[in-house]
Amino acid sequence: MLYLRRLFSQELSPAAQGDFLGCLQQAPSLLSTGFPGAPALESLSWLHNLAPCFPLRGDQIQVIHEPKHFYETLVQRIGQAKRRIVLASLYLGTGQLENAMVQTLRHSLEQESALRLNVLLDFTRGTRGTLNSKTMLLPLVRDFASQVQLSLYHTPDLRGMTKRLAPPRWNELLGLQHMKVYLFDDAVIISGANLSNDYFTNRQDRYILIEDKPLADFYAQFIERVQEFSLAVAPDASEGLHRNWRILPYEGTKEQFIQLAQKRISDLVQETFQRQARTKEQNPQADTWVFPLLEMGQIGIHHDSVVTKRLLSNCVSGSRLKLATGYFNLTQEYMDTLTHKCLAQCSILMAHPNANGFQGAKGPAGGIPAAYTLIAKSFYESLVRRKQNHRVNFFEYEKPGWTYHAKGLWYYLPEARLPNLTLIGSSNFGERSVNRDLETQVCLVTANKDLSQRLQAEADRLYDLSQTAEREIVQRPVPRWVQAVVRIFRNFF
């Protein structure tokens, strides 16, 4: 245990976060003053200062509810794409549904010679085992070398002795490419779901499809820049540097790699921020505003977490907040903010142990559901001590035969019956999401009643399959070995 602790306890990337947010405020004259035509949203205007804004109409957004519909939408959009497909995920599974998707990709590449396919996956997860994500996609790389770019993100924290000695699965603890972005021409799906069988059948997540060229352009460029400092897979299956990059993430100076990677992302966000600020008045019919948020703690970019903390701390009395996470391990900063600064009535939704994807797993992973129970119990008892438990309620999702992976939040301003804002994407609001993994989600603010109703229906579908959980959390037994592991490894799961 002590050896593993030493093996994985490294300093987080030392790059500063101030430069990233500071770059968005170098042109204060461009900052927006609010949401045109929606004075009720004025208290959320601070978002314009912290992220690029993409104004659009609510009818450009589709809320997807079921894994089956998510898969069908992916396959349909792949088949219809003419110019570009971008797939960013933790991994691609190896089952029949995944193989059918790969065959659809092949057919589209054959039919459209101008079509370009960019795939970004995690290196450690995507190369685990003999049959893996890389081997699933390698035939496309070989047969369509001029059309396909397959990239595997490798954390700069996995290097030296740790890289040589850490076995598969354990090497994933240090950091992953965890973003889920699925883009087809001028439409983009933002989700928390990976590209594998469970997420296509009986693993509940959230998924939102946005038809907007400027937003799709941003995410396409963003993923391309992450691919630059990821490993490029060649037709001969070797992994090497991208043509625009000169430093391997696991060799040379880690600080230099981090500095260069951070600059590539920061420059793009700054350019996008200023361009969108100049064009914000060009969509007078806009009733919905999308703010893309990024979190890349490994390279010193803390963006999504800053916006999320500000949102939580700005929740006023009379407002409501529904927060969902597949894995309850909120950062201490989020828990402190919910306890001391957030004035909203909060409903926290998480997986019941029976709906946790690690339930029944072999080895130490089998204790993960109990670990999340322990962390939730600790937070609840802290709320009781501070007399805030009347304001924060806990719910657990359970559906026979299903697992739960949905995350995000819905925010209701005072007097609002329907949500005014939602966060949706890959972040679980936990220690990994903030400090170890690459994440993205969008903050969606809307004055469109139909869209608000659809977002409300989405939340209702999830909460209707949950039960209040305070008593169960407190009374559920947690093995002693899990209690010991949580104290040591909490920052790694």
Side-chain angles (χ1 to χ4, degrees), residues 300-311:
I301 291 177
H302 294 284
H303 179 218
D304 174 64
S305 60
V306 172
V307 174
T308 300
K309 181 185 174 184
R310 175 116 179 229
L311 177 60

Side-chain angles (χ1 to χ4, degrees), residues 164-357:
R164 289 193 293 272
L165 297 181
R169 295 181 187 269
W170 287 96
N171 59 10
E172 297 170 25
L173 290 175
L174 289 177
L176 298 166
Q177 191 308 99
H178 196 249
M179 301 182 292
K180 284 83 175 183
V181 179
Y182 310 117
L183 191 152
F184 317 95
D185 291 339
D186 296 332
V188 58
I189 294 175
I190 302 294
S191 180
N194 292 304
L195 298 175
S196 69
N197 180 77
D198 289 355
Y199 294 91
F200 300 153
T201 54
N202 62 347
R203 189 157 173 74
Q204 183 64 60
D205 215 301
R206 297 180 67 204
Y207 338 80
I208 191 166
L209 171 65
I210 306 174
E211 304 258 12
D212 184 65
K213 186 178 186 302
L215 183 66
D217 287 345
F218 167 76
Y219 267 111
Q221 294 166 26
F222 168 57
I223 298 302
E224 285 177 3
R225 294 210 179 188
V226 178
Q227 287 182 289
E228 288 182 14
F229 51 85
S230 300
L231 301 177
V233 177
D236 65 0
S238 63
E239 299 136 3
L241 290 167
H242 185 279
R243 60 186 178 277
N244 295 340
W245 206 253
R246 296 293 177 267
I247 307 173
L248 286 168
Y250 48 84
E251 293 182 357
T253 305
K254 184 172 86 168
E255 289 70 21
Q256 184 182 15
F257 177 91
I258 289 171
Q259 183 181 21
L260 293 172
Q262 183 190 87
K263 187 176 188 306
R264 290 298 288 155
I265 301 302
S266 297
D267 286 352
L268 173 65
V269 174
Q270 181 179 12
E271 294 162 8
T272 306
F273 179 85
Q274 295 184 357
R275 181 178 64 251
Q276 290 303 116
R278 286 192 295 267
T279 61
K280 65 180 183 292
E281 305 298 339
Q282 294 182 8
N283 191 350
Q285 296 181 322
D287 55 25
T288 301
W289 299 265
V290 174
F291 301 85
L293 309 177
L294 315 177
E295 193 76 6
M296 310 174 85
Q298 295 176 14
I299 61 171
I301 291 177
H302 294 284
H303 179 218
D304 174 64
S305 60
V306 172
V307 174
T308 300
K309 181 185 174 184
R310 175 116 179 229
L311 177 60
L312 296 178
S313 62
N314 280 13
C315 291
V316 297
S317 179
S319 64
R320 291 182 293 140
L321 180 74
K322 294 183 177 182
L323 187 149
T325 176
Y327 307 114
F328 188 87
N329 187 17
L330 301 186
T331 67
Q332 191 61 50
E333 196 167 24
Y334 286 160
M335 289 192 288
D336 290 344
T337 302
L338 284 169
T339 303
H340 301 293
K341 296 181 180 180
C342 178
L343 300 180
Q345 187 69 33
C346 302
S347 300
I348 297 177
L349 178 63
M350 67 194 87
H352 184 279
N354 292 337
N356 189 298

Side-chain angles (χ1 to χ4, degrees), residues 103-115:
Q103 295 311 309
T104 305
L105 286 167
R106 172 177 290 277
H107 179 74
S108 292
L109 290 165
E110 290 172 342
Q111 295 298 309
E112 300 289 343
S113 60
L115 180 63

